[in-house]
Amino acid sequence: MRPWISSLAVAASLVLASPGLAAPPPAPAIAAAPDAALDAPMAARLDKVVDTALAEHRLVGTVVLVARDGKLVYHRAAGLADREAGRPMREDAVFRFSSVTKPFVSVAVMKLVEDGKLRLDDPVTQWLPDFRPKLADGTEPVITLRQLLNHTSGLTYGLAEAPSHPYHRLGVSDGIDLSGITLDENMRRLGQAPLAFPPGSAWRYSLAIDVLGSVVEKAAGKSLPQVVAETVTGPLGLTDAGFVARDPARLATPYVNAQPEPTRMTDNQDVPLGPTAVRFAPSRATDKTAFPSGGAGMVGTAGDVLALLETVRKGGAPILKAATVAEMMKDQVGPQAATQGPGWGFGYGWAVLDDPAVAKTPQAAGTIAWGGVYGHNWFVDAKNGLTVVIMTNTAFEGMNGPFTAQVRDAVYGR
């Protein structure tokens, strides 16, 4: 059995079953299963999946965590955090979250809703009076905070659009590049682009959470990083999760899938994603001048992600009320949205599984899931007590490549 890594305990706020190692309050305790209680067959399946992905050069490095019923039953860091430097991956490695940021910011938004500082049916113009994107016919619809939260606002992502799209012409940032602009300026540019559809009429993954980040700043009178720290990461005792890397030496170097092996990512590199491309800028993680992107701008460890997701799975304390979390985990848009393929809808902050048979997945109905373009994937199957976090430094294999489904199936014994 691999030794427990104490840095993971700090990052993830886990309580390890090692003599003399105290739990770091005030985070929710996730007790590590004693060796005798570990799922050896599952571990063997997962080890094979990880080893194969590394051997086939689909991944450079990864951290995989599996919790069952609040116990950490599998944890592994494998491969390299920096291939050129020969630096091994560690369980306390810091990753660029990309869209793993969204659950953190969505939880912060719902905390402000609980506190009465925001209402989901408020128009966005209540907080951003100049944010008035129009439809193609020139009409100006009302966009509510609820529509931003569940991605039915009519906005889109530059990374999902062709080079001729107005977002590119206007210089709208997706929040993972080095744009040199402020959050307010990005909102100004975004507001000039036409909406893809009338708000509330369809679902499209979008920059909506970046808009909500700007709303949060106006409603709280504080920066988005301050609000997330006070409402989410602070109460959970997470010291690495934030918008700028606190310890850059632990940052995992990002790579791009290529043959015969992944290539090292460079700043403002356009990486093809189907017919479009994602513009990455790894140095954004250490740039204190980069605007805080509510949809993509955070960094942190796999343990940080596990701690947040376990908090959600267990009902939200000490951050949110159980009723709030239940609403967030409910499908708000319907399975016709196919947010992760057939059978998937969307809640507040993540996809929601409506029909496992249609989705062809062993996960139970009600499972929530999402990922991030830097190479991450996670899910919470509350009915089976499972929380699984996959953090890699390889785009896009760690987000939507075969590795993600292979890890999922290994967890369920398929």
Side-chain angles (χ1 to χ4, degrees):
M1 180 63 197
R2 290 177 298 277
W4 298 109
I5 307 298
S6 61
S7 57
L8 172 64
V10 175
S13 303
L14 305 180
V15 180
L16 301 187
S18 300
L21 185 58
I30 306 173
D35 287 359
L38 292 175
D39 189 333
M42 182 188 70
R45 294 191 300 267
L46 284 168
D47 282 345
K48 182 178 179 181
V49 168
V50 171
D51 291 342
T52 300
L54 293 170
E56 294 177 351
H57 301 294
R58 289 184 283 124
L59 293 178
V60 176
T62 185
V63 176
V64 178
L65 306 177
V66 180
R68 180 186 291 125
D69 298 327
K71 305 285 188 180
L72 187 63
V73 295
Y74 180 86
H75 72 108
R76 185 179 177 193
L80 297 170
D82 188 315
R83 185 182 60 204
E84 290 71 27
R87 177 162 57 97
M89 184 64 76
R90 293 177 16 162
E91 292 185 14
D92 68 345
V94 174
F95 295 91
R96 295 156 179 86
F97 275 176
S98 49
S99 287
V100 178
T101 303
K102 289 181 173 70
F104 286 83
V105 173
S106 296
V107 167
V109 168
M110 295 306 292
K111 176 59 177 172
L112 294 188
V113 170
E114 282 190 353
D115 292 345
K117 295 180 179 178
L118 293 175
R119 293 181 301 177
L120 291 184
D121 291 319
D122 285 342
V124 67
T125 50
Q126 178 172 332
W127 303 104
L128 306 177
D130 297 326
F131 187 78
R132 299 177 180 274
K134 297 179 174 58
L135 293 166
D137 64 6
T139 59
E140 183 187 304
V142 173
I143 300 174
T144 67
L145 303 189
R146 188 186 305 275
Q147 291 163 344
L148 292 173
L149 197 57
N150 63 22
H151 294 280
T152 61
S153 65
L155 299 171
T156 182
Y157 253 125
L159 58 83
E161 304 294 343
S164 59
H165 192 272
Y167 280 24
H168 300 299
R169 176 174 50 81
L170 291 164
V172 174
S173 171
D174 283 340
I176 51 178
D177 61 343
L178 283 176
S179 62
I181 62 176
T182 64
L183 179 56
D184 287 346
E185 173 60 17
N186 206 41
M187 293 300 99
R188 187 190 70 79
R189 296 181 184 189
L190 181 60
Q192 293 179 341
L195 294 170
F197 51 81
S201 68
W203 184 90
R204 185 173 296 189
Y205 195 45
S206 72
L207 280 162
I209 309 304
D210 281 63
V211 180
L212 274 175
S214 185
V215 169
V216 164
E217 292 198 339
K218 303 301 187 289
K222 301 175 182 178
S223 71
L224 180 61
Q226 285 180 287
V227 176
V228 171
E230 291 174 5
T231 61
V232 184
T233 60
L236 294 184
L238 308 181
T239 58
D240 285 308
F243 287 83
V244 178
R246 181 182 61 85
D247 185 1
R250 286 193 285 121
L251 274 169
T253 298
Y255 296 84
V256 176
N257 287 116
Q259 293 297 331
E261 64 180 7
T263 59
R264 194 179 181 100
M265 191 181 289
T266 58
D267 272 350
N268 281 353
Q269 178 179 355
D270 290 334
V271 180
L273 181 63
T276 62
V278 180
R279 177 164 292 180
F280 289 96
S283 68
R284 202 181 195 280
T286 57
D287 186 353
K288 295 180 180 180
T289 69
F291 74 81
S293 167
M298 290 181 68
V299 301
T301 67
D304 293 339
V305 180
L306 181 67
L308 177 73
L309 297 178
E310 274 290 280
T311 298
V312 169
R313 183 188 66 82
K314 294 190 292 184
I319 304 173
L320 296 174
K321 299 174 183 176
T324 300
V325 170
E327 192 68 14
M328 295 180 74
M329 297 179 74
K330 184 186 304 181
D331 181 9
Q332 303 289 329
V333 302
Q336 76 283 350
T339 61
Q340 284 205 322
W344 289 89
F346 204 84
Y348 295 147
W350 38 65
V352 179
L353 179 60
D354 292 310
D355 193 328
V358 170
K360 299 179 180 179
T361 176
Q363 297 156 318
T367 292
I368 62 173
W370 208 245
V373 290
Y374 267 106
H376 317 313
N377 193 280
W378 60 264
F379 69 84
V380 177
D381 179 349
K383 289 183 180 177
N384 286 304
L386 283 168
T387 301
V388 177
V389 174
I390 302 168
M391 303 296 282
T392 84
N393 59 352
T394 316
F396 298 104
E397 176 71 18
M399 176 182 71
N400 60 2
F403 182 68
T404 61
Q406 291 163 356
V407 168
R408 177 201 67 192
D409 290 348
V411 168
Y412 288 90
R414 285 181 37 161

